[in-house]
Amino acid sequence: MTNDTITAPRAAEAGVPAEMSRRLLARRLFLAFHRWTGLILGAIFVVVGLTGAILSFAPQIDAALHPHLLRSTPPSADAPYASLDEIYAAAIADLPPGATPSFMAMPRGRDGVVSLSYRLRDADDVTETHRLFIDPYTTKATGDRAIKRGDDEIRQFFFNSVRSLHYTLWQGSDRSWLVGGPALVLLPSMLLGIVLWWPRPGQWRLAFAIKRKASAERRIFDLHRVVGAVVAVVLCCSLTSGCFFVFRQPGRDLVRLFSSVREAPRGLASRPIADREPIGLDAALRIAERSFPGAAPTGFSLPANEKGVYVVSMRAPEEPNHANGRNRVTIDRFSGQVLFTEDRSAFSAGERFLEWLLPLHSGEAFGLGGQAVIFLAGLAPAFLYVTGFIRWRRRRRAVSA
């Protein structure tokens, strides 16, 4: 497939029809684009793929490594959680002075824990992000984890550091284009690889064949071709979704060309009422459940100041995103008035497309099987880069000889 070295003029001299010579020239150009984008930008793709493979099972790995921190023991099979207000009050009592809570995430399973994210200024006036974990049955803290300190992208909680490397190459969120830009180039290169591999009618079996008795160079070529073909669809989906994460607003504007995409209103605020305490998380959950009966709470965005609001995330059973529900209710924390509701059942086609990007990217849309596919696909760029580089080096040596 990569031995098409006949240029258009040479093809004409050899008596090859003009249309065929143009095809040979186009194929040669396609191969050159595919080869050089892979060699130059493929190293970034290798890093992104390997870190993505690690992140695909991050929740399970973290829980297995830190069961004392991330596991609880239900008193019985049907034991209920303590009330949200009790859990929150116990968590607040364990926070250091000056801490500002921002989000409370609910357990992802019966043996999970509640996590409370909070920020804190240290002695050097640098903002630290922490996460406090609470047993939802006993309301006792199981431990505290430092997530990030200031703008340091490397020396932070391991999986956060891996995620920063995956999305920004440790350069910070304002430089995520360092990953998104190459992805925009590698995506058409991957599509061209599919075009170059695509077999003729009746040759599909040969397209997946690896000649065992062939030369080492031929086996490397076959392995590169077959592995690339097997993982191409998954990698293209990962590259596409990754580009949407990096170039969020241009991506949403692009989707708007085909479908409506609504934005949540900004500036929603609670109205403090004299001599009235906030309604609390249990009351906020009851209000959210009236809007989304049958959905389960996944998290609560907490008010940062007196006029802050509760935002309750509710996950319906059919949602592709398992970690955080897309049904959201914004509530005035004094009056209990519903200020805004985001109902995924009313999503447009464009909003549905955007909703699926993250669970497809992580694989969680299809459970452990989907995560396993993403894990294996994350290893593939390293294999493709190595086999592609070996083949390129051998061809260069053959030409120079």
Side-chain angles (χ1 to χ4, degrees):
M1 185 171 73
T2 58
N3 292 325
D4 299 325
T5 58
I6 302 177
T7 63
R10 290 180 181 177
E13 292 174 5
V16 179
E19 181 180 353
M20 186 177 295
S21 68
R22 286 194 295 270
R23 289 180 180 177
L24 290 173
L25 178 60
R27 185 178 182 83
R28 184 177 176 82
L29 292 174
F30 288 169
L31 282 168
F33 178 77
H34 180 72
R35 181 185 305 117
W36 288 108
T37 54
L39 287 170
I40 296 171
L41 301 177
I44 296 176
F45 201 19
V46 170
V47 173
V48 172
L50 293 176
T51 51
I54 295 172
L55 292 172
S56 64
F57 281 102
Q60 290 86 352
I61 296 172
D62 195 15
L65 293 177
H66 306 97
H68 62 285
L69 190 67
L70 302 175
R71 297 289 189 194
S72 62
T73 303
S76 62
D78 57 352
Y81 294 151
S83 74
L84 294 175
D85 290 328
E86 289 176 338
I87 294 172
Y88 184 64
I92 292 297
D94 279 324
L95 294 184
T100 303
S102 58
F103 189 82
M104 191 170 85
M106 298 300 292
R108 295 182 66 171
R110 288 284 299 167
D111 61 347
V113 294
V114 172
S115 69
L116 181 69
S117 299
Y118 68 92
R119 295 184 181 89
L120 181 69
R121 289 276 184 176
D122 65 11
D124 298 322
D125 201 32
V126 176
T127 299
E128 293 183 350
T129 303
H130 287 251
R131 197 165 290 152
L132 179 70
F133 300 99
I134 308 100
D135 186 311
Y137 303 100
T138 65
T139 72
K140 294 181 178 179
T142 60
D144 186 287
R145 169 181 282 168
I147 302 298
K148 185 177 181 181
R149 184 177 186 273
D151 297 326
D152 194 330
E153 298 292 332
I154 301 176
R155 290 176 297 179
Q156 52 180 312
F157 169 55
F158 173 73
F159 286 113
N160 275 56
S161 182
V162 172
R163 186 171 289 106
S164 175
L165 179 59
H166 181 73
Y167 283 112
T168 74
L169 300 179
W170 283 334
Q171 299 304 303
S173 58
D174 58 334
R175 295 184 181 178
S176 58
W177 55 267
L178 291 171
V179 171
L184 287 175
V185 179
L186 286 167
L187 181 58
S189 177
M190 183 66 66
L191 294 173
L192 278 176
I194 298 174
V195 172
L196 293 169
W197 164 85
W198 198 265
R200 296 174 182 175
Q203 295 186 347
W204 281 92
R205 185 175 179 180
L206 293 176
F208 290 97
I210 299 174
K211 296 183 178 180
R212 298 181 180 179
K213 296 183 179 181
S215 65
E217 182 179 356
R218 176 68 194 196
R219 289 198 303 271
I220 289 173
F221 168 69
D222 284 346
L223 286 168
H224 182 89
R225 174 176 54 84
V226 172
V227 171
V230 170
V231 301
V233 173
V234 178
L235 291 180
C236 285
C237 288
S238 295
L239 284 170
T240 301
S241 55
C243 289
F244 272 92
F245 299 147
V246 172
F247 305 109
R248 182 181 182 277
Q249 195 55 51
R252 295 175 75 86
D253 291 339
L254 178 63
V255 173
R256 284 193 179 92
L257 296 177
F258 308 95
S259 174
S260 62
V261 176
R262 293 162 292 183
E263 301 285 353
R266 297 183 178 183
L268 297 177
S270 297
R271 294 184 178 181
I273 300 175
D275 301 324
R276 180 179 295 186
E277 294 294 322
I279 61 174
L281 294 180
D282 284 308
L285 177 58
R286 288 192 293 270
I287 294 169
E289 287 175 334
R290 288 199 291 269
S291 297
F292 299 105
T298 58
F300 299 80
S301 291
L302 303 171
N305 51 49
E306 188 72 4
K307 294 187 177 181
V309 296
Y310 293 127
V311 180
V312 185
S313 298
M314 305 287 289
R315 182 183 181 275
E318 68 276 9
E319 286 193 49
N321 195 328
H322 295 186
N324 197 18
R326 287 302 307 273
N327 295 311
R328 292 167 187 164
V329 185
T330 303
I331 302 168
D332 184 309
R333 72 189 189 110
F334 292 99
S335 68
Q337 177 187 357
V338 174
L339 304 178
F340 176 72
T341 300
E342 183 178 34
D343 186 350
R344 66 175 298 275
S345 67
F347 276 2
S348 66
E351 290 165 338
R352 190 77 65 192
F353 168 78
L354 294 172
E355 176 194 22
W356 272 85
L357 289 178
L358 181 58
L360 282 178
H361 193 82
S362 66
E364 71 171 357
F366 304 103
L368 291 176
Q371 291 173 269
V373 169
I374 294 299
F375 175 81
L376 294 174
L379 303 179
F383 181 85
L384 295 174
Y385 188 81
V386 171
T387 53
F389 181 81
I390 292 174
R391 180 164 172 78
W392 170 75
R393 286 288 296 171
R394 289 186 174 181
R395 285 177 60 83
R396 280 181 60 87
R397 289 173 181 173
V399 171
S400 61

